[in-house]
Amino acid sequence: MSPDGQVGGGRGGTSSNLYTAILALAVGAVVATAAFVVFMCHHHYGFYIKIP
């Protein structure tokens, strides 16, 4: 898809950047939560994942 074919002015870039920033924050929060859970499991139990 060529940018020449787009219709509608420059407002799309601003909202697209906003959605990208929100998505980056959400993904960062999920990654940080997963890292925290792994760290706390290792801290409390001494291992990351134990499959019985």
Side-chain angles (χ1 to χ4, degrees):
M1 295 181 73
S2 171
D4 296 333
Q6 294 179 350
V7 178
R11 231 177 125 84
T14 303
S15 64
S16 177
N17 289 340
L18 178 63
Y19 293 141
T20 302
I22 292 171
L23 180 63
L25 288 173
V27 169
V30 169
V31 169
T33 303
F36 178 73
V37 168
V38 167
F39 172 76
M40 291 307 289
C41 284
H42 181 68
H43 180 71
H44 284 289
Y45 304 116
F47 53 84
Y48 296 116
I49 297 172
K50 183 177 182 181
I51 301 173

